[in-house]
Amino acid sequence: MVGTPPPTSGDLAAGRSTSASSQNGPFPASNAVDSDAGSYWESGGGAFPHWWQVDLGASHQVNKLVVRLPAGWGARTQTITVQGSVNGSTFSTIAAASAFTFDPATGNTVTRTLTTTTARYVRLSIAGNTGWPAGQLAKVEVYAGSTTPDNPPTAPSGLTVTGKTSTSVSLAWTASTDDTGVTGYQVRQGGTVVATVTGTTATVSGLSPSTAYTFSVVARDAAGNTSSASNAVTATTDAAANSDLARGRPTSESSHVQSYGSGNVVDGDVNSYWESANSAFPQWVQVDLGSSRTVGRVVLKLPPSSAWGSRTQTLSVQGSVDGGSFGTFVGSAGRTFDPATGNQVTLTFTAAQARYVRISVTGNTGWPAGQLSTLEIHAS
């Protein structure tokens, strides 16, 4: 949606967006910036203070405030503090609490000259009212010494993930532009700022392994204006060192017999196992890691029971990033599973990227089928 452009002269508050701590019935905050001098905002009941706020749309050098009540109202004094902010969250005091005396004899209007302050959001905090137990404002006018607003920077673009570890994600983006100059960038995870930098790269640390994180970036200028957010990117941190990337992940296979399906190789139970169709080599079993991960070691196991006598399976380790084209990580060779040494085989290879890791079996001296109880996949 295209919003109303901020005015560059005159009453900067006219028609702008407003908010308030509360409202009484049909007297909303927007009444204080409309063209009807007889409409007004009134806060809800309850103890003071109450507040009313206007968003000028961009930062200005605010230096004057005019506050009105309906012309026919009786005299009253409201105690008001004037505050300003460039981001809508951190406010500073422009004018300390003082008495705003509204007198129908002078049009129920109070004009205050302010110390020139850069602000996009102007807030009136009301601590008391001698005429009614609530904050009341019919019209708030804000003026600036400069007729040129300080517009926010453009949004950063092209945010990408340039690297990751088990506890960090590195990001890069294209610089924003601004009429007075960009002073820095905030990297945000959701609504939380997780890094502040002056350049166009950042590394977010202190993350958890094997976890997906979504980031965006906003730019800030010297006046404190904040840009719109960049595109969002999501990255999954690497697994912790020596953790099993395959545990609980989806599996597939060339075939299986009875209840000995491929899911048994990632269920954590060393006594359950995958067994392919008999006398029909080659056979294979495969794990989908969910996204492309760095892999460099596999651990293959058969049940440790002594009933599983020693056997040699001829097998290879293959990997793919798309599930269609596979490369060979470990060439085909005989691998001996011996119950005397735990019935397991560990194979290491040059670290590579893969989403799908496949064990291809072409022979077995102990049974005419491929057999595995566990397939562990590690980064190194």
Side-chain angles (χ1 to χ4, degrees):
M1 179 185 299
V2 178
T4 302
T8 57
S9 62
D11 176 15
L12 302 174
R16 300 302 303 170
S17 298
T18 58
S19 55
S21 55
S22 62
Q23 88 176 47
N24 179 27
F27 307 113
S30 58
N31 283 352
V33 295
D34 65 14
S35 59
D36 182 0
S39 68
Y40 60 96
W41 163 74
E42 183 171 292
S43 69
F48 287 102
H50 302 287
W51 59 263
W52 175 95
Q53 177 178 306
V54 62
D55 175 1
L56 304 179
S59 292
H60 294 266
Q61 299 298 304
V62 172
N63 69 353
K64 189 174 76 169
L65 183 71
V66 179
V67 185
R68 308 179 193 272
L69 290 181
W73 284 18
R76 67 200 64 201
T77 298
Q78 298 189 70
T79 303
I80 300 177
T81 300
V82 183
Q83 300 173 304
S85 172
V86 296
N87 57 19
S89 59
T90 304
F91 283 80
S92 59
T93 298
I94 300 175
S98 62
F100 280 56
T101 299
F102 298 88
D103 186 346
T106 56
N108 265 345
T109 299
V110 177
T111 299
R112 291 290 168 88
T113 299
L114 306 172
T115 300
T116 300
T117 304
T118 300
R120 171 174 173 169
Y121 303 86
V122 175
R123 176 180 290 185
L124 276 59
S125 180
I126 303 170
N129 184 349
T130 62
W132 195 258
Q136 296 173 311
L137 301 170
K139 192 167 182 61
V140 178
E141 301 171 10
V142 179
Y143 298 88
S146 171
T147 60
T148 303
D150 185 355
N151 294 309
T154 60
S157 60
L159 178 63
T160 57
V161 176
T162 58
K164 56 190 177 72
T165 68
S166 61
T167 59
S168 68
V169 172
S170 296
L171 305 165
W173 57 91
T174 300
S176 300
T177 59
D178 183 68
D179 47 13
T180 60
V182 174
T183 59
Y185 298 88
Q186 293 178 341
V187 179
R188 297 183 177 182
Q189 181 192 333
T192 302
V193 177
V194 292
T196 300
V197 297
T198 56
T200 56
T201 62
T203 297
V204 182
S205 303
L207 306 177
S208 298
S210 300
T211 304
Y213 293 91
T214 300
F215 301 99
S216 62
V217 177
V218 300
R220 291 175 62 84
D221 65 14
N225 293 314
T226 301
S227 74
S228 300
S230 69
N231 60 296
V233 295
T234 298
T236 299
T237 50
D238 293 338
N242 299 321
S243 67
D244 178 11
L245 304 177
R247 177 67 65 86
R249 298 302 306 173
T251 61
S252 55
E253 64 200 10
S254 55
S255 65
H256 73 270
V257 294
Q258 301 177 36
S259 60
Y260 307 120
S262 60
N264 289 341
V265 303
V266 295
D267 65 2
D269 180 1
V270 74
N271 294 301
S272 68
Y273 59 95
W274 163 72
E275 183 172 297
S276 74
N278 294 178
S279 303
F281 291 113
Q283 298 288 335
W284 55 264
V285 63
Q286 174 177 307
V287 178
D288 176 0
L289 302 180
S291 62
S292 185
R293 310 295 295 271
T294 300
V295 297
R297 176 167 59 96
V298 298
V299 179
L300 311 176
K301 299 180 182 180
L302 289 179
S305 168
S306 58
W308 284 71
S310 179
R311 68 200 62 204
T312 298
Q313 297 192 71
T314 302
L315 55 83
S316 61
V317 182
Q318 300 171 318
S320 171
V321 296
D322 59 10
S325 176
F326 281 79
T328 298
F329 293 158
V330 179
S332 182
R335 311 295 175 177
T336 299
F337 295 82
D338 186 347
T341 55
N343 250 355
Q344 73 176 44
V345 171
T346 299
L347 301 173
T348 59
F349 48 91
T350 302
Q353 291 293 306
R355 172 173 175 172
Y356 304 89
V357 176
R358 175 181 291 183
I359 306 301
S360 182
V361 184
T362 58
N364 184 347
T365 63
W367 195 258
Q371 296 173 310
L372 283 180
S373 67
T374 300
L375 167 53
E376 294 180 7
I377 302 171
H378 300 267
S380 61

